[in-house]
Amino acid sequence: MDDIQLQAQERFNVRQKMTLMANRYVVTVARPDGSEGEVVAFAQQKRTAIKEEMTVYSDESKKSVLFTFKARQLLDVGATYDVRDETGTPIGTFRKEFAASLLRSTWSLDQPGTTRLTGRERNRVVAVLRRVWEFLPLVDFIPFAWPYHFDFTEGDKRAMSVDKKFGLRDRYVLDMANPDLDRRLAIAQAVALDALQSR
């Protein structure tokens, strides 16, 4: 799928595939019935790798880089992540707002010159339950199964949302409402919500 076709898409499925050695993320176009269509992005992160950077490819063959994201500072809970295309040209940035995230996770997403979004967990109760779950002993390898949702807005206008589906496997639906928001930046943020959420 070329850049123009990717930019025209309004809904994606994001699925994490866990293996013993790596976390894999597969992003597909969502068909009208919600099922998975064409693969548009694939990332593999080794369990021992530095989590502050990731290369995302256009498919599972890993022949073509779609984009990368990398933290400006390592091991910083409020680090800014730069998203760049395959040539290194900046696409945008995202960051977790640490102070605002103490009770409800909050992210900032910036596409220079066009869009600056704030993303927050939709449900405050679920946000608190997730934090309690993270502190329970012996649940490190048991995912939080209850759905949670993030709405990314510019002022009062929703630009995109990321909805986690119910279940033990991490599956998300990324809905686009802003036609100008770069889909690569949106996919980067959706993957980061899973890969970096605990930071």
Side-chain angles (χ1 to χ4, degrees), residues 6-199:
L6 180 65
Q7 191 63 27
Q9 304 304 315
E10 295 181 350
R11 178 173 285 185
F12 301 91
N13 291 316
V14 181
R15 175 170 42 92
Q16 183 191 42
K17 297 168 65 176
M18 294 184 68
T19 67
L20 289 176
M21 300 302 294
N23 292 332
R24 296 175 179 162
Y25 294 92
V26 180
V27 182
T28 59
V29 173
R31 294 189 178 112
D33 65 358
S35 63
E36 294 184 3
E38 181 180 351
V39 174
V40 295
F42 173 79
Q44 179 172 301
Q45 182 183 57
K46 291 183 180 178
R47 292 283 176 94
T48 57
I50 296 174
K51 292 187 177 182
E52 284 79 5
E53 60 182 290
M54 187 177 289
T55 299
V56 179
Y57 302 90
S58 57
D59 59 37
E60 294 182 74
S61 71
K62 299 195 288 186
K63 291 180 180 177
S64 175
V65 173
L66 185 62
F67 62 82
T68 62
F69 64 79
K70 184 176 182 178
R72 292 180 185 172
Q73 309 89 14
L74 295 181
L75 304 176
D76 181 353
V77 292
T80 296
Y81 291 80
D82 292 299
V83 183
R84 299 179 183 272
D85 69 13
E86 70 279 7
T87 67
T89 302
I91 298 172
T93 63
F94 62 84
R95 65 178 287 131
K96 189 172 185 180
E97 301 295 341
F98 180 70
S101 295
L102 292 176
L103 291 178
R104 186 165 59 152
S105 289
T106 303
W107 293 76
S108 294
L109 183 71
D110 186 20
Q111 183 174 308
T114 57
T115 306
R116 176 168 290 173
L117 306 178
T118 299
R120 289 189 182 90
E121 284 184 88
R122 189 179 304 158
N123 189 309
R124 294 174 189 263
V125 174
V126 173
V128 172
L129 288 175
R130 280 201 318 107
R131 278 148 185 75
V132 171
W133 180 265
E134 290 172 3
F135 284 104
L136 293 176
L138 306 174
V139 297
D140 288 346
F141 297 102
I142 303 173
F144 183 76
W146 197 259
Y148 55 88
H149 317 281
F150 282 83
D151 292 314
F152 286 79
T153 59
E154 189 171 25
D156 294 331
K157 189 174 182 180
R158 185 175 66 85
M160 75 177 215
S161 63
V162 181
D163 295 335
K164 183 180 186 294
K165 309 307 285 183
F166 182 80
L168 294 178
R169 289 186 172 185
D170 288 341
R171 296 181 302 117
Y172 306 85
V173 175
L174 168 60
D175 269 312
M176 308 299 303
N178 183 339
D180 298 322
L181 180 59
D182 194 305
R183 280 18 182 187
R184 297 168 298 178
L185 182 59
I187 291 169
Q189 178 68 84
V191 169
L193 286 177
D194 186 275
L196 306 172
Q197 183 58 37
S198 62
R199 287 205 170 278

